[in-house]
Amino acid sequence: MQLILASASPARLALLRQAGIEPVVRPTDVDEDLLVEAHEAEHGPLAPDAYVLLLARAKAEALLDQDPLTGFDGLVLGGDSSLELDGAMLGKPHTPERARERWLQQRGREAVLHSGHSMLRVRGGRIEDSAHVATATSLRFAADIDESEIDAYVATGEPLQVAGAFTIDGRGAAFIDSISGDPSTVIGMSIPAVRRLARELGVAWPRLATA
């Protein structure tokens, strides 16, 4: 059973490969800010789980807008992650200035990393079924990070394109004191959640494994 990963995230790809799955990588183009703004304008503020699920589902479904997948028989997986701090959802900072500001704000604090997962069962270009779930993991940032360490970390470029301006599978691991929950959720995608979604869609986990 083939799996398409509708994401350009190296971390999500690495997680799947570690689990023995070699997906076809097909990133999709979704204007996240515009989508969230439009949804909240019509329905009001999004709860954290609804926020990441909205984006994960949009990314998965966007693949069929880009490619009809007429000859495809398998699963499409979309994902999104965001850090919740002080009630706000923090995505990718994109700029060094914003990444530095985030770290000054979050050092010594506890936050929650939310990951949304959207899986589509696709056959012949048609979505036959779908399953979706959000997961959340708490973490605490080290309190003794000084500004020179923050500046050096930001200068590596690692925090610019990741939710919350950090990773635990790279240089950012040195600044995380503790994690409570599924570590793979913090990296970008809960592997146990992906297994359960596949099972919900009638696909046993061993059918996805290639190694």
Side-chain angles (χ1 to χ4, degrees), residues 31-107:
D31 188 327
E32 299 180 18
D33 292 339
L34 183 62
L35 182 61
V36 170
E37 289 173 10
H39 190 280
E40 291 190 332
E42 184 174 354
H43 303 287
L46 285 160
D49 57 347
Y51 180 100
V52 292
L53 280 176
L54 172 71
L55 295 176
R57 186 165 188 165
K59 292 173 184 179
E61 293 176 349
L63 182 60
L64 276 81
D65 294 329
Q66 295 177 192
D67 186 330
L69 296 179
T70 52
F72 179 71
D73 180 8
L75 302 174
V76 173
L77 176 62
D80 184 75
S81 297
S82 191
L83 185 73
E84 180 188 6
L85 182 67
D86 294 333
M89 298 297 283
L90 307 177
K92 302 171 185 176
H94 296 298
T95 68
E97 294 77 18
R98 192 174 297 169
R100 186 179 194 276
E101 181 183 337
R102 294 269 184 89
W103 271 98
L104 290 172
Q105 178 186 9
Q106 64 199 26
R107 63 180 171 179

Side-chain angles (χ1 to χ4, degrees), residues 1-3 21 73-76 119-123 128-129 131 193-209:
M1 176 65 67
Q2 195 172 40
L3 173 70
I21 297 169
D73 180 8
L75 302 174
V76 173
M119 185 175 285
L120 313 177
R121 178 68 175 95
V122 177
R123 193 193 309 269
E128 293 190 338
D129 202 354
V194 173
R195 179 182 66 84
R196 293 187 180 99
L197 290 178
R199 183 173 61 184
E200 186 176 338
L201 296 179
V203 178
W205 187 245
R207 291 183 63 194
L208 292 174

Side-chain angles (χ1 to χ4, degrees), residues 63-182:
L63 182 60
L64 276 81
D65 294 329
Q66 295 177 192
D67 186 330
L69 296 179
T70 52
F72 179 71
D73 180 8
L75 302 174
V76 173
L77 176 62
D80 184 75
S81 297
S82 191
L83 185 73
E84 180 188 6
L85 182 67
D86 294 333
M89 298 297 283
L90 307 177
K92 302 171 185 176
H94 296 298
T95 68
E97 294 77 18
R98 192 174 297 169
R100 186 179 194 276
E101 181 183 337
R102 294 269 184 89
W103 271 98
L104 290 172
Q105 178 186 9
Q106 64 199 26
R107 63 180 171 179
R109 307 282 304 283
E110 185 170 296
V112 180
L113 200 293
H114 297 267
S115 283
H117 312 72
S118 180
M119 185 175 285
L120 313 177
R121 178 68 175 95
V122 177
R123 193 193 309 269
R126 177 173 170 268
I127 299 174
E128 293 190 338
D129 202 354
S130 63
H132 321 277
V133 70
T135 58
T137 296
S138 299
L139 61 147
R140 179 168 290 278
F141 296 101
D144 61 349
I145 311 169
D146 61 38
E147 292 192 27
S148 65
E149 288 178 307
I150 291 174
D151 290 340
Y153 180 47
V154 171
T156 68
E158 180 181 274
L160 304 188
Q161 300 300 325
V162 287
F166 75 98
T167 64
I168 63 165
D169 56 334
R171 293 180 175 91
F175 309 123
I176 309 299
D177 276 349
S178 63
I179 295 174
S180 178
D182 173 17

